Amino acid sequence: MILLLATSAAVADGEKLYTENACGACHGPTGNEPIMPTYPKVAGQNKEYLIRQMNDIKSGARNNGASVAMRALVANLDDDDIAAIAAYLSKL
Ligand code: HEC
């Protein structure tokens, strides 16, 4: 029960963080309508995969394509924020 509650709280925070950080400006309001054909859809992806991609973009380990376009945005997110956003996006 506690675990279930914690999970839904993380998802709710993830939605808030996604909106507040204007992630939807590039990936679309529900993560499924990128504004550029070369930008990825982030909705419905595997949670662990999303966490890894955000951390790698943040650290610079991932520096391909247009990842520089969003480095400044993930730079402000801590591990909890990233996990909450990934949980939210993976459920869309
Ligand atoms: C200025 C536009 C822009 C904004 C704003 C932006 N992103 Fe991105 N994002 C990108 C681009 C472009 C890529 C792909 C980079 C590449 O070409 O490899 C990307 C990649 C990603 C990926 C990896 C997807 C994958 O399948 O590998 C995730 C996850 C992601 N963004 C989440 C976010 C989140 C969460 C936010 C808000 C904190 C955000 N993005 C804000 C442009 C943006």
Side-chain angles (χ1 to χ4, degrees), residues 14 17-27 35-36 38-43 45-46 49-55 57 62-77 81-82 85-86 89:
L17 286 163
Y18 186 86
T19 307
E20 282 176 354
N21 286 284
C23 311
C26 290
H27 296 290
I35 55 161
M36 302 274 281
T38 52
Y39 286 10
K41 294 179 180 174
V42 290
Q45 304 272 12
N46 177 279
Y49 170 80
L50 288 170
I51 291 174
R52 199 160 58 237
Q53 298 318 308
M54 285 186 269
N55 279 325
I57 289 171
R62 173 170 165 178
N63 199 22
N64 60 302
S67 46
V68 67
M70 64 165 269
R71 179 150 310 130
L73 289 117
V74 278
N76 299 320
L77 304 176
D81 295 339
I82 285 176
I85 291 174
L89 290 174

